[in-house]
Amino acid sequence: MSGQQSEPARLYGWDASRQTQLRAFTGGAVPVAVYGLGKMGLPLAAVYADVSGNVTGVDIDSDVARAVDAGRCPVEGEPGLPEEVERLAGDGSLSATTDATGAAADAGVHVIIVPTLIEDDEPDLSALEAAVRSVGAGLDAGDVVVVESTVPPRTCRDRVRPWLEAESGLELGEFGLAFCPERTMSGRALQDIRGSHPKVVGGADAESERVAELIYGEITDAEVIPVADCTTAECVKVFEGLYRDVNIALANELATLAGEFGVDVTEAIDVANTQPFCDIHTPGPGVGGHCIPYYPYFVISEFEGATPLLQTARHVNEYMPTFTVERAAEALDERGRDLSESTVAVFGLTYRPGVDETRASPGVAVAEELAERAETVYAVDPICTSAPPEGVQRVSLDAIGARELDLAVVTTGHEEFGEIPWSAFEDLTVFDGRHMLDDEDTSHPVSRLGDGSDED
């Protein structure tokens, strides 16, 4: 290619100056397609559209595609995103469709950010494969494909590249391929994409790395860190999640031993962390969300080498909802009450404060187990819009004070729980799984996860 090529410009293999290529990208001469308009994909499409002015979003859900194309935001809980979608769709910078192959035929940059699910503790890459093959069917020489979906290491090398080559009839070198992992959190996606963390880019070849670094230098204000290849970049994202899962498991295992230690484990952890080489996380009733509970299986199930540490961490963290219920039942028993004859309120169904997401949520798991063991179970969550588990009754924060409770279990640290009407309850047992409460906050005795109050 040359700087005199006809429109649309294709960045991969183009020998024009960097400034010429940047002007083409930011001026809309390089059409972009973003595949997947979910909680992470739509914010990414919006930022790409803001920078390049020429983005087509693709989603298999026709309702989602129609909403975005009309300037409506189907993703909730992302500050600023509805306004951005309305503005960008309104000025023509962002459109949306269900026609992935048609969008691919028009685009020069293809960004794939579809979910990778876990089925029976194994990664399900079917959504990724469908998206990649659709891109491949419309791929042209000079295009670059960027994968942002979190995937098992070697996915780009062993799967994505062969799928693209099989569908397009092209070979790597005629098109580019890079892995550039998303590093965003729900509730702050726009902020994170635009520059909260360094952006990692790994190319399948040197030219792919160059193009990815050029693109993301415009997408983010943060540092762009190129790594050796796609697999290294894939490892970076997965390793972040593995670190957190293992670290949380350490904290949680220590919490299960608090009674034998006879100490408040969280106090010991906090003081241990004053040493700069120590950074133990805080124990809690489990690990939730769409990331950390699943990433270990990207390694455990995909590779032949032994992974005892990862498997043990998963076992510990998956056990914590049961441990939380056991400790809460013990606290209740110490006050002369049996869980099977008690009315319980679970405060928190979402996995994280302020975020309407219940996937793998410890609060849901605790509520489910209590529903099997207690007489009556209520769920209180001012953020959650999902239905409660079977056997659990949803009650608003305003209405819970009118119910007679024997036990309250705090599983999510929502800010709104500072308004729990504790004075409305008589002789209440409180078990705090998130270390939100002091005794004076509730006017009732409080037991806490890992506080050593179960000492023999």
Side-chain angles (χ1 to χ4, degrees):
M1 293 184 181
S2 71
Q4 303 301 315
Q5 72 175 78
S6 60
E7 302 295 355
R10 308 286 175 175
L11 296 175
Y12 184 88
W14 191 9
D15 60 4
S17 71
R18 178 181 176 86
Q19 287 305 313
T20 297
Q21 294 186 47
L22 286 175
R23 283 196 298 271
F25 175 61
T26 59
V30 184
V32 177
V34 176
Y35 306 84
L37 297 177
K39 297 174 79 68
M40 297 295 113
L42 183 56
L44 183 64
V47 175
Y48 260 94
D50 186 44
V51 171
S52 75
N54 189 0
V55 171
T56 300
V58 181
D59 201 278
I60 60 173
D61 188 327
S62 59
D63 290 339
V64 169
R66 280 195 297 267
V68 173
D69 201 52
R72 301 190 304 273
C73 179
V75 173
E76 297 181 353
E78 289 296 341
L81 185 59
E83 295 81 3
E84 283 291 86
V85 171
E86 181 180 18
R87 177 179 69 84
L88 294 164
D91 67 18
S93 299
L94 175 64
S95 62
T97 181
T98 59
D99 182 5
T101 301
D106 293 335
V109 173
H110 310 266
V111 185
I112 300 173
I113 185 166
V114 296
T116 303
L117 304 178
I118 292 289
E119 297 290 342
D120 298 324
D121 294 342
E122 294 189 359
D124 177 3
L125 299 176
S126 57
L128 178 69
E129 180 176 2
V132 171
R133 289 192 182 277
S134 294
V135 171
L139 199 67
D140 292 317
D143 287 2
V144 63
V145 179
V146 176
V147 179
E148 286 223 6
S149 305
T150 305
V151 294
R154 292 176 36 171
T155 294
C156 283
R157 188 188 78 177
D158 295 347
R159 292 168 169 154
V160 174
R161 175 182 170 181
W163 291 336
L164 289 171
E165 291 181 338
E167 295 296 329
S168 68
L170 302 172
E171 295 182 355
L172 180 69
E174 296 176 274
F175 67 88
L177 172 62
F179 185 77
C180 307
E182 61 89 2
R183 307 179 92 185
T184 59
M185 293 181 65
S186 297
R188 48 177 294 158
L190 289 176
Q191 175 184 343
D192 286 347
I193 293 166
R194 286 170 170 155
S196 295
H197 314 289
K199 185 66 179 181
V200 178
V201 301
D205 60 11
E207 178 65 1
S208 299
E209 177 190 304
R210 182 196 69 79
V211 174
E213 190 173 4
L214 179 139
I215 290 171
Y216 281 99
E218 298 301 304
I219 296 296
T220 181
D221 295 327
E223 178 186 7
V224 177
I225 302 177
V227 295
D229 51 28
C230 292
T231 303
T232 304
E234 291 165 342
C235 285
V236 168
K237 179 56 190 283
V238 173
F239 289 3
E240 292 169 4
L242 299 185
Y243 164 77
R244 295 191 64 196
D245 198 46
V246 171
N247 194 316
I248 294 169
L250 170 62
N252 284 340
E253 186 162 281
L254 293 175
T256 68
L257 298 172
E260 294 184 66
F261 292 150
V263 304
D264 184 340
V265 162
T266 57
E267 178 187 5
I269 287 173
D270 287 344
V271 177
N273 286 346
T274 62
Q275 207 269 12
F277 302 110
C278 188
D279 185 21
I280 305 172
H281 290 357
T282 302
V287 177
H290 58 276
C291 298
I292 298 174
Y294 300 102
Y295 292 173
Y297 297 109
F298 290 5
V299 176
I300 292 170
S301 68
E302 290 288 295
F303 297 91
E304 294 181 1
T307 54
L309 178 62
L310 302 183
Q311 294 179 67
T312 298
R314 275 289 78 222
H315 174 77
V316 170
N317 289 334
E318 289 170 358
Y319 168 66
M320 288 309 294
T322 296
F323 180 77
T324 298
V325 172
E326 291 291 345
R327 283 288 295 112
E330 290 170 9
L332 192 63
D333 183 66
E334 289 170 3
R335 303 191 67 193
R337 296 184 182 178
D338 191 285
L339 179 59
S340 65
E341 300 173 350
S342 297
T343 298
V344 185
V346 177
F347 287 88
L349 292 177
T350 68
Y351 85 96
R352 189 158 68 87
V355 174
D356 184 11
E357 172 64 69
T358 59
R359 190 174 179 190
S361 174
V364 171
V366 168
E368 289 174 339
E369 187 155 342
L370 285 169
E372 295 179 356
R373 298 182 56 180
E375 184 173 11
T376 303
V377 179
Y378 301 124
V380 182
D381 194 308
I383 301 297
C384 182
T385 58
S386 303
E390 185 176 354
V392 178
Q393 303 175 45
R394 185 72 168 269
V395 178
S396 71
L397 185 56
D398 291 337
I400 192 62
R403 308 298 174 102
E404 294 185 4
L405 299 182
D406 300 303
L407 173 66
V409 182
V410 179
T411 51
T412 311
H414 288 310
E415 181 180 331
E416 291 83 351
F417 287 162
E419 305 301 321
I420 296 173
W422 298 112
S423 60
F425 308 112
E426 295 183 7
D427 196 23
L428 178 68
T429 298
V430 180
F431 186 79
D432 182 6
R434 291 298 182 186
H435 295 264
M436 288 187 63
L437 309 170
D438 296 323
D439 288 352
E440 56 267 25
D441 292 333
T442 68
S443 70
H444 301 282
V446 180
S447 296
R448 299 171 188 83
L449 186 69
D451 68 359
S453 59
D454 55 338
E455 179 182 2
D456 293 335

